[in-house]
Amino acid sequence: MLALVRPDSWDLPLFLHVLGAMVVFGATATLAIAGFAARRQDGREQLLARAIAGTFVLGVLPSWILMRVGAEWIRSKEFTGGADEPGWIGVGYIVSDGTAVLLLVTGILAAISVRRGRVLLAVPILATVCVLAYAVAWFAMSGKP
C-alpha cells in the first residue's frame, strides 16, 4: 500500500537497490553451493575453483556495489533534512558493511584456491555466513519489524 503513495522519482534507485540485493544474494549462494560441491569432486576441483573466482568477480562484486549505490541513492531521496531513519536501515548498514569484509576475504581465498587448484573450505563457509546475514537483512527490510 505504501508503494502506491511513493513518488515516481524513487522507483529507479529502489529498483537498482533491490536488483543488486537479489543478485548478490544469488551469487553468494552460488559461491557457497559450488564451494561445498567442489570439496566432493576429485577431478573437477580446478574447474570449480575457477568458476567460483569468476562468479565472485563478475557476479558478487558488481552486484554488491549496485546494491550499496542504490541503497544510498534511495536513502538520500527518502530521508532528507535530518529525518529520523528507521531501525531497518541500521540493520542494512551493519549487514552490508560486515559482509563487505567477509566477501573481500572470500574473494582473496577464491583467488588462492585457483592457484592451488582446489577450493579452500573457508570459501563456502564464509559465503554461507554472508547468505545468512543477507537473509536477516532481507527479513528486516521486507517485514520492517
Side-chain angles (χ1 to χ4, degrees):
M1 184 65 185
L2 291 176
L4 295 175
V5 296
R6 183 181 64 229
D8 289 340
S9 65
W10 293 6
D11 289 345
L12 180 63
L14 184 60
F15 173 75
L16 293 177
H17 170 63
V18 172
L19 176 67
M22 289 189 310
V23 174
V24 78
F25 182 87
T28 307
T30 301
L31 287 181
I33 293 167
F36 284 123
R39 305 286 300 168
R40 304 243 182 230
Q41 298 291 323
D42 290 332
R44 299 184 195 157
E45 285 184 343
Q46 178 68 28
L47 180 65
L48 285 171
R50 287 182 186 205
I52 288 170
T55 300
F56 179 80
V57 170
L58 298 175
V60 173
L61 282 181
S63 60
W64 188 90
I65 291 169
L66 180 65
M67 183 239 344
R68 287 294 289 156
V69 167
E72 288 300 319
W73 190 6
I74 190 67
R75 187 193 60 79
S76 70
K77 287 187 169 289
E78 189 171 353
F79 301 104
T80 59
D84 288 334
E85 296 177 347
W88 52 268
I89 290 182
V91 171
Y93 278 123
I94 290 168
V95 169
S96 66
D97 293 346
T99 58
V101 174
L102 291 177
L103 289 175
L104 187 61
V105 171
T106 303
I108 292 168
L109 293 174
I112 292 171
S113 295
V114 170
R115 287 184 176 260
R116 289 191 175 180
R118 64 180 180 84
V119 178
L120 300 173
L121 182 60
V123 171
I125 290 174
L126 290 175
T128 302
V129 170
C130 289
V131 167
L132 294 174
Y134 292 141
V136 169
W138 190 356
F139 173 75
M141 292 191 178
S142 62
K144 296 181 179 43

